[in-house]
Amino acid sequence: MIHRLIAGGLALAALLGCPLPAAATQSVDGVRDAAVNWLRANRAPPGSRMVLEAVPLDSRLKLADCAAPLDASLPGNRALGARVSVTVHCPMPGGWTVRVPVKVQLFAPVLVTSRPLTRGDGLGPADVHTEERDVATLAYGYIAALDQVGGRALARPLNAGTVLTPGMLAGRQAVRIGDAVSMEASVDGVVIRADGVAMGAGDMGSRLKVRNASSGKVLDAVVRGPGVVAVLP
């Protein structure tokens, strides 16, 4: 009986031209907000500044209203780039899933070279400084502090103003700035040794300047091994 009354009511409403109650729909802006909020809460490194913009979804998209809080995730735990696709899901039986494209700007402090540097150079406070850059556009990564360099030398020459990346570093330095070194010089087949202080840093084969510990004279030298340099003629 009740079913007949309902059916009759619907038929009467149709005959009279009365609108039927519309099913509740999920706010598309709410879906976009869920994607942005999840990224900001879960993918912003400490000390960074994140600027996010969710791309507008198709205006024809109609989603059933979700009675539960929306879930969001980044498929495959991917690294942040300038544009990512966040999955937003309604965690209800028969719930829907939507991918939300988001434009990302992630500003963080990075190390930038302060002067031109050559292959084999070590890195000290006078060689680099910190600048805020959009690291989401740095496809090869970046280095945020000198303690991440770990005593390694440069694998290639760099111009001033270059963002330092892990791929620019070679092996660990055999000699570091301020190290006490053994200076070797060959004179007529005789090897002469003296104590010195490194004024530069580098791996084996790197050129640097050393200061004779006794005379104070500054000489050009090549790194031969840990703590050992060969004085150039």
Side-chain angles (χ1 to χ4, degrees):
M1 179 69 178
I2 293 175
H3 292 297
R4 274 190 237 157
L5 288 173
I6 294 174
L10 293 175
L12 181 60
L15 288 173
L16 296 177
C18 298
L20 296 176
T25 58
Q26 177 71 43
S27 165
V28 175
D29 286 341
V31 174
R32 295 169 67 232
D33 289 344
V36 167
N37 292 339
W38 184 87
L39 281 176
R40 185 168 285 115
N42 294 277
R43 287 307 186 90
S48 65
R49 180 170 59 89
M50 185 177 271
V51 179
L52 302 171
E53 180 188 354
V55 175
L57 300 175
D58 192 330
S59 60
R60 297 169 295 179
L61 183 64
K62 302 297 181 185
L63 302 171
D65 188 39
C66 188
L70 300 179
D71 284 342
S73 63
L74 202 56
N77 199 30
R78 296 173 186 168
L80 283 183
R83 189 181 177 108
V84 296
S85 182
V86 179
T87 297
V88 179
H89 174 63
C90 173
M92 298 288 292
W96 42 261
T97 298
V98 175
R99 289 184 180 269
V100 181
V102 181
K103 296 177 182 178
V104 178
Q105 288 180 293
L106 183 60
F107 297 96
V110 303
L111 287 187
V112 178
T113 55
S114 300
R115 61 185 182 86
L117 299 170
T118 61
R119 181 181 179 275
D121 280 352
L123 293 171
D127 303 315
V128 293
H129 62 277
T130 299
E131 291 183 11
E132 187 183 67
R133 295 290 182 91
D134 180 6
V135 299
T137 64
L138 301 179
Y140 297 102
Y142 63 95
I143 294 175
L146 271 176
D147 58 10
Q148 296 176 3
V149 173
R152 296 166 64 191
L154 290 177
R156 60 185 178 85
L158 300 176
N159 294 324
T162 302
V163 175
L164 199 63
T165 70
M168 296 173 180
L169 301 176
R172 297 189 179 278
Q173 298 168 0
V175 173
R176 295 175 294 181
I177 297 175
D179 279 358
V181 295
S182 175
M183 301 187 304
E184 299 179 347
S186 180
V187 180
D188 295 330
V190 178
V191 178
I192 301 173
R193 294 181 174 84
D195 294 331
V197 178
M199 301 178 67
D203 202 356
M204 287 188 291
S206 302
R207 294 184 58 157
L208 47 74
K209 291 187 180 297
V210 293
R211 185 178 69 250
N212 187 304
S214 298
S215 67
K217 186 175 181 180
V218 176
L219 305 166
D220 291 319
V222 175
V223 178
R224 288 291 182 236
V228 180
V229 300
V231 176
L232 297 173

